[in-house]
Amino acid sequence: MKQLYIIGSGPGSPAHLTPAARAAIDASHELVGHGLFLNLLGDLTHGKGCHKPPMGEEITRARLALDLAASGRTTSLISSGDAGIYAMATVVFELLERQPKPDWDAVDIQVIPGISAMQAAAARVGAPLAHDFCAISLSDLLTPWETIERRVVAAAQGDFIVAFYNAVSRKRSWQLQRAVDILLQHRPPTTPTVVAFNISRKGEQISVTELQALVPDKLNMLTLVLVGNSDTRRVGNWVYTPRGYGQKPEMRETVTPSDE
Amino acid sequence: MKQLYIIGSGPGSPAHLTPAARAAIDASHELVGHGLFLNLLGDLTHGKGCHKPPMGEEITRARLALDLAASGRTTSLISSGDAGIYAMATVVFELLERQPKPDWDAVDIQVIPGISAMQAAAARVGAPLAHDFCAISLSDLLTPWETIERRVVAAAQGDFIVAFYNAVSRKRSWQLQRAVDILLQHRPPTTPTVVAFNISRKGEQISVTELQALVPDKLNMLTLVLVGNSDTRRVGNWVYTPRGYGQKPEMRETVTPSDE
């Protein structure tokens, strides 16, 4: 059988690479992905063909992976995080629809999910994503800014916790500032905001600030920004969003020694 | 060191249980979680104390886990999916804030993320979550329906892909119908909609329908519903949301044999 695996390798550490993803990589002859993410796999890549078209070459990467698989080489197309969240899986399906090739029909495709950056960041600081949340990419390379801004406004009006992917890049930081300004119209300036970089990888940095104190200029392309909703709170060093358990009598009562 | 792990065990199959979560379970003397989820762990639970307060007893479960860890027994508090997404992590932090106990201060807490149901479902059908999305719980046990409905309206206005958690229960199905009606005011009736049950577990069922054809009455508490945005499409048996690569010349050109 001709096989293409589309894999999410998680935030970086092998501790978050699922057994399903690892088994698919083990079974592959060829690996296709951005060099940064293939390098994170370390020994797992040994003895395999490694193909690393640069960032921006997503279509080349997807086509190459389909072609390699169609040639009979079991192939893994690798994204960091989750392959289905701002990553490579959609590019493969769009190619299959727009530029079908008869060779590709014989390829069996399997998508394997992974831990996305927002999950890894959330776990490090507590449970900020514990109520309704959304993910928004601030990259306007492929999506018109009007569409993105409309989503930020909707997220603000709906009081969603927001995970910003592609929050800033070398060429742009005004989008994040604009998004923050929109959110500030609907939630407190002190809203806990998590700034996460390289989670579970070398050079990991994570900090918690207030929405009003976020400085977009200091961030980069690999930074994930998580903004709490109007209920998100801090307890000690942790950040969490309550779900409403505080209304329950067991949570309201003060526990005194005589209760126990 | 006194240790509490708060673990997301993923959608069910051991293939999606991360090495970090497995290592934490291995290192634990005591496991606390809903029986359904502990049972899915199979052999991993052997030789450990298993504590299974029933569904609805989330506060009891969190308090028990903190107390066990504080007594010196390394403890894992286990949710399916991601511990930080509609799961147990937030309950622990809310207890720490509302009912602090001096014993608990000595407990080191680590949250370990897991693959959430929306990710497992999305991977099975393709890449429906590939553009901006949100997660909304339709359970109004702890959140007023007005808040939930406001979020559904915002998701509709922002054209977010929507993952509905707790979409229906034995006692309620009108909420999902109401949410569908709201979405139908803003996106096509043919919008691809994924209905997923027990993904990666025994009895897995997944189907793709149109938004207008969704029948809430047939679903249950363990069903996840994923509604595409206005761009979400089908190609063959796959469902995907394009990200805009179709604007790129490499994706627009028709590839003819002479191009190759």
Short mmCIF file of all heavy atoms in Angstrom, two decimals, chain A residues 153-188:
data_model
loop_
_atom_site.label_atom_id
_atom_site.label_comp_id
_atom_site.label_asym_id
_atom_site.label_seq_id
_atom_site.Cartn_x
_atom_site.Cartn_y
_atom_site.Cartn_z
N VAL A 153 -12.84 40.88 16.68
CA VAL A 153 -14.00 41.59 17.24
C VAL A 153 -15.02 40.58 17.78
O VAL A 153 -15.54 40.72 18.89
CB VAL A 153 -14.65 42.51 16.17
CG1 VAL A 153 -16.00 43.03 16.65
CG2 VAL A 153 -13.71 43.66 15.82
N ALA A 154 -15.29 39.53 17.00
CA ALA A 154 -16.24 38.50 17.45
C ALA A 154 -15.74 37.82 18.72
O ALA A 154 -16.51 37.58 19.66
CB ALA A 154 -16.45 37.47 16.34
N ALA A 155 -14.46 37.52 18.77
CA ALA A 155 -13.89 36.87 19.96
C ALA A 155 -14.04 37.78 21.18
O ALA A 155 -14.31 37.31 22.29
CB ALA A 155 -12.41 36.53 19.72
N ALA A 156 -13.85 39.08 20.96
CA ALA A 156 -13.99 40.05 22.05
C ALA A 156 -15.44 40.10 22.52
O ALA A 156 -15.72 40.04 23.72
CB ALA A 156 -13.51 41.42 21.59
N GLN A 157 -16.37 40.18 21.56
CA GLN A 157 -17.78 40.28 21.91
C GLN A 157 -18.28 39.00 22.60
O GLN A 157 -19.14 39.05 23.46
CB GLN A 157 -18.61 40.57 20.65
CG GLN A 157 -18.39 42.00 20.15
CD GLN A 157 -19.02 42.27 18.80
OE1 GLN A 157 -19.32 41.34 18.06
NE2 GLN A 157 -19.20 43.54 18.47
N GLY A 158 -17.74 37.87 22.19
CA GLY A 158 -18.17 36.60 22.78
C GLY A 158 -17.43 36.26 24.06
O GLY A 158 -17.68 35.23 24.67
N ASP A 159 -16.49 37.11 24.47
CA ASP A 159 -15.68 36.87 25.67
C ASP A 159 -14.99 35.51 25.63
O ASP A 159 -14.95 34.77 26.63
CB ASP A 159 -16.53 37.01 26.95
CG ASP A 159 -15.67 37.19 28.20
OD1 ASP A 159 -14.55 37.70 28.09
OD2 ASP A 159 -16.12 36.78 29.29
N PHE A 160 -14.46 35.17 24.47
CA PHE A 160 -13.68 33.94 24.34
C PHE A 160 -12.26 34.16 24.88
O PHE A 160 -11.68 35.24 24.69
CB PHE A 160 -13.52 33.54 22.86
CG PHE A 160 -14.74 32.93 22.25
CD1 PHE A 160 -15.66 33.71 21.54
CD2 PHE A 160 -14.96 31.56 22.34
CE1 PHE A 160 -16.79 33.13 20.97
CE2 PHE A 160 -16.08 30.98 21.76
CZ PHE A 160 -17.00 31.77 21.07
N ILE A 161 -11.69 33.15 25.50
CA ILE A 161 -10.24 33.11 25.68
C ILE A 161 -9.66 33.04 24.26
O ILE A 161 -10.23 32.36 23.41
CB ILE A 161 -9.85 31.84 26.48
CG1 ILE A 161 -10.58 31.81 27.83
CG2 ILE A 161 -8.34 31.75 26.64
CD1 ILE A 161 -10.98 30.41 28.26
N VAL A 162 -8.57 33.74 24.00
CA VAL A 162 -8.05 33.77 22.63
C VAL A 162 -6.60 33.29 22.59
O VAL A 162 -5.76 33.80 23.35
CB VAL A 162 -8.10 35.18 22.02
CG1 VAL A 162 -7.71 35.13 20.54
CG2 VAL A 162 -9.49 35.80 22.16
N ALA A 163 -6.31 32.34 21.72
CA ALA A 163 -4.93 31.94 21.44
C ALA A 163 -4.55 32.56 20.10
O ALA A 163 -5.16 32.25 19.08
CB ALA A 163 -4.82 30.42 21.37
N PHE A 164 -3.56 33.44 20.11
CA PHE A 164 -3.09 34.05 18.87
C PHE A 164 -1.88 33.26 18.34
O PHE A 164 -0.84 33.19 18.98
CB PHE A 164 -2.68 35.50 19.08
CG PHE A 164 -3.84 36.44 19.30
CD1 PHE A 164 -4.00 37.10 20.50
CD2 PHE A 164 -4.78 36.66 18.29
CE1 PHE A 164 -5.07 37.97 20.71
CE2 PHE A 164 -5.86 37.52 18.48
CZ PHE A 164 -6.00 38.17 19.69
N TYR A 165 -2.06 32.69 17.15
CA TYR A 165 -0.95 32.05 16.44
C TYR A 165 -0.39 33.06 15.45
O TYR A 165 -1.10 33.97 15.02
CB TYR A 165 -1.45 30.81 15.69
CG TYR A 165 -1.70 29.61 16.59
CD1 TYR A 165 -2.82 29.55 17.41
CD2 TYR A 165 -0.83 28.53 16.60
CE1 TYR A 165 -3.05 28.45 18.22
CE2 TYR A 165 -1.05 27.42 17.41
CZ TYR A 165 -2.16 27.39 18.23
OH TYR A 165 -2.38 26.29 19.04
N ASN A 166 0.87 32.86 15.05
CA ASN A 166 1.53 33.80 14.12
C ASN A 166 1.27 35.24 14.57
O ASN A 166 0.92 36.11 13.77
CB ASN A 166 0.98 33.61 12.68
CG ASN A 166 1.10 32.17 12.21
OD1 ASN A 166 2.18 31.59 12.24
ND2 ASN A 166 -0.02 31.58 11.79
N ALA A 167 1.45 35.46 15.85
CA ALA A 167 1.07 36.74 16.45
C ALA A 167 1.86 37.91 15.87
O ALA A 167 1.30 38.96 15.60
CB ALA A 167 1.24 36.68 17.96
N VAL A 168 3.15 37.70 15.67
CA VAL A 168 3.97 38.74 15.04
C VAL A 168 4.98 38.04 14.12
O VAL A 168 5.17 36.83 14.18
CB VAL A 168 4.78 39.57 16.08
CG1 VAL A 168 3.86 40.33 17.01
CG2 VAL A 168 5.72 38.68 16.86
N SER A 169 5.61 38.79 13.24
CA SER A 169 6.71 38.25 12.45
C SER A 169 7.73 39.38 12.27
O SER A 169 7.52 40.50 12.73
CB SER A 169 6.24 37.74 11.09
OG SER A 169 6.05 38.82 10.21
N ARG A 170 8.83 39.07 11.60
CA ARG A 170 9.84 40.10 11.40
C ARG A 170 9.24 41.34 10.73
O ARG A 170 9.60 42.45 10.99
CB ARG A 170 10.98 39.56 10.52
CG ARG A 170 12.26 39.32 11.30
CD ARG A 170 13.24 38.54 10.45
NE ARG A 170 12.60 37.31 9.93
CZ ARG A 170 13.26 36.29 9.42
NH1 ARG A 170 14.57 36.32 9.33
NH2 ARG A 170 12.63 35.23 8.98
N LYS A 171 8.29 41.05 9.82
CA LYS A 171 7.77 42.15 9.02
C LYS A 171 6.56 42.86 9.63
O LYS A 171 6.10 43.87 9.12
CB LYS A 171 7.38 41.63 7.63
CG LYS A 171 8.58 41.17 6.82
CD LYS A 171 8.15 40.69 5.44
CE LYS A 171 9.30 39.99 4.71
NZ LYS A 171 8.83 39.05 3.70
N ARG A 172 5.99 42.29 10.70
CA ARG A 172 4.75 42.91 11.18
C ARG A 172 4.55 42.68 12.67
O ARG A 172 4.73 41.57 13.18
CB ARG A 172 3.54 42.37 10.40
CG ARG A 172 3.48 40.87 10.38
CD ARG A 172 2.26 40.29 9.71
NE ARG A 172 2.29 38.86 9.97
CZ ARG A 172 1.91 38.30 11.09
NH1 ARG A 172 1.41 39.01 12.06
NH2 ARG A 172 2.03 36.99 11.26
N SER A 173 4.17 43.74 13.36
CA SER A 173 3.77 43.58 14.76
C SER A 173 2.52 44.40 15.05
O SER A 173 1.93 44.26 16.11
CB SER A 173 4.91 43.98 15.71
OG SER A 173 5.16 45.37 15.59
N TRP A 174 2.09 45.25 14.09
CA TRP A 174 0.94 46.12 14.38
C TRP A 174 -0.34 45.31 14.55
O TRP A 174 -1.26 45.72 15.25
CB TRP A 174 0.76 47.20 13.31
CG TRP A 174 0.42 46.70 11.93
CD1 TRP A 174 1.29 46.45 10.91
CD2 TRP A 174 -0.89 46.37 11.43
NE1 TRP A 174 0.60 45.98 9.80
CE2 TRP A 174 -0.73 45.93 10.09
CE3 TRP A 174 -2.18 46.40 11.97
CZ2 TRP A 174 -1.81 45.52 9.29
CZ3 TRP A 174 -3.26 46.00 11.18
CH2 TRP A 174 -3.06 45.56 9.85
N GLN A 175 -0.42 44.12 13.90
CA GLN A 175 -1.65 43.34 13.97
C GLN A 175 -1.95 42.93 15.41
O GLN A 175 -3.10 42.98 15.86
CB GLN A 175 -1.56 42.09 13.09
CG GLN A 175 -1.62 42.37 11.60
CD GLN A 175 -0.24 42.55 10.99
OE1 GLN A 175 0.74 42.83 11.68
NE2 GLN A 175 -0.15 42.38 9.69
N LEU A 176 -0.90 42.50 16.13
CA LEU A 176 -1.13 42.07 17.52
C LEU A 176 -1.56 43.27 18.37
O LEU A 176 -2.46 43.17 19.20
CB LEU A 176 0.12 41.40 18.10
CG LEU A 176 -0.01 40.95 19.55
CD1 LEU A 176 -1.18 39.98 19.73
CD2 LEU A 176 1.29 40.28 20.03
N GLN A 177 -0.93 44.43 18.14
CA GLN A 177 -1.31 45.61 18.91
C GLN A 177 -2.78 45.98 18.64
O GLN A 177 -3.54 46.28 19.55
CB GLN A 177 -0.39 46.79 18.57
CG GLN A 177 -0.62 47.99 19.47
CD GLN A 177 -0.40 47.66 20.94
OE1 GLN A 177 0.66 47.20 21.33
NE2 GLN A 177 -1.44 47.83 21.77
N ARG A 178 -3.17 45.90 17.36
CA ARG A 178 -4.56 46.20 16.99
C ARG A 178 -5.51 45.20 17.68
O ARG A 178 -6.56 45.58 18.20
CB ARG A 178 -4.68 46.13 15.47
CG ARG A 178 -6.07 46.32 14.92
CD ARG A 178 -6.47 47.79 14.78
NE ARG A 178 -7.89 47.90 14.49
CZ ARG A 178 -8.81 48.44 15.28
NH1 ARG A 178 -8.46 49.00 16.42
NH2 ARG A 178 -10.08 48.46 14.94
N ALA A 179 -5.15 43.94 17.67
CA ALA A 179 -5.98 42.90 18.30
C ALA A 179 -6.11 43.15 19.80
O ALA A 179 -7.20 43.04 20.38
CB ALA A 179 -5.38 41.52 18.03
N VAL A 180 -5.01 43.51 20.43
CA VAL A 180 -5.03 43.81 21.87
C VAL A 180 -5.95 45.00 22.13
O VAL A 180 -6.77 44.99 23.06
CB VAL A 180 -3.60 44.11 22.38
CG1 VAL A 180 -3.62 44.74 23.77
CG2 VAL A 180 -2.77 42.82 22.40
N ASP A 181 -5.85 46.03 21.28
CA ASP A 181 -6.70 47.22 21.47
C ASP A 181 -8.18 46.85 21.37
O ASP A 181 -9.01 47.36 22.14
CB ASP A 181 -6.35 48.29 20.42
CG ASP A 181 -4.97 48.90 20.65
OD1 ASP A 181 -4.43 48.76 21.77
OD2 ASP A 181 -4.41 49.49 19.70
N ILE A 182 -8.51 45.96 20.45
CA ILE A 182 -9.91 45.53 20.31
C ILE A 182 -10.35 44.77 21.56
O ILE A 182 -11.42 45.02 22.13
CB ILE A 182 -10.09 44.65 19.05
CG1 ILE A 182 -9.88 45.50 17.78
CG2 ILE A 182 -11.46 43.97 19.03
CD1 ILE A 182 -9.73 44.69 16.51
N LEU A 183 -9.52 43.84 22.01
CA LEU A 183 -9.88 43.06 23.20
C LEU A 183 -10.04 43.96 24.43
O LEU A 183 -10.92 43.75 25.27
CB LEU A 183 -8.84 41.97 23.47
CG LEU A 183 -8.79 40.83 22.44
CD1 LEU A 183 -7.64 39.87 22.76
CD2 LEU A 183 -10.12 40.05 22.41
N LEU A 184 -9.19 44.98 24.52
CA LEU A 184 -9.24 45.89 25.68
C LEU A 184 -10.54 46.67 25.76
O LEU A 184 -10.91 47.16 26.83
CB LEU A 184 -8.05 46.87 25.65
CG LEU A 184 -6.72 46.30 26.15
CD1 LEU A 184 -5.59 47.28 25.87
CD2 LEU A 184 -6.79 45.98 27.65
N GLN A 185 -11.25 46.77 24.64
CA GLN A 185 -12.56 47.44 24.68
C GLN A 185 -13.61 46.55 25.36
O GLN A 185 -14.70 47.03 25.68
CB GLN A 185 -13.03 47.78 23.26
CG GLN A 185 -12.17 48.84 22.57
CD GLN A 185 -12.46 48.95 21.08
OE1 GLN A 185 -13.56 48.62 20.64
NE2 GLN A 185 -11.49 49.39 20.32
N HIS A 186 -13.33 45.26 25.52
CA HIS A 186 -14.34 44.33 26.02
C HIS A 186 -13.94 43.56 27.26
O HIS A 186 -14.75 42.82 27.81
CB HIS A 186 -14.71 43.32 24.93
CG HIS A 186 -15.41 43.94 23.75
ND1 HIS A 186 -14.72 44.55 22.73
CD2 HIS A 186 -16.73 44.07 23.46
CE1 HIS A 186 -15.60 44.99 21.83
NE2 HIS A 186 -16.81 44.73 22.25
N ARG A 187 -12.67 43.62 27.63
CA ARG A 187 -12.29 42.89 28.86
C ARG A 187 -11.28 43.72 29.65
O ARG A 187 -10.68 44.64 29.11
CB ARG A 187 -11.80 41.48 28.53
CG ARG A 187 -10.58 41.35 27.67
CD ARG A 187 -10.37 39.89 27.23
NE ARG A 187 -11.34 39.47 26.21
CZ ARG A 187 -11.37 38.29 25.60
NH1 ARG A 187 -10.48 37.36 25.91
NH2 ARG A 187 -12.25 38.00 24.67
N PRO A 188 -11.10 43.38 30.93
CA PRO A 188 -10.29 44.24 31.81
C PRO A 188 -8.84 44.37 31.34
O PRO A 188 -8.27 43.41 30.81
CB PRO A 188 -10.34 43.52 33.16
CG PRO A 188 -11.53 42.62 33.10
CD PRO A 188 -11.69 42.25 31.66
#
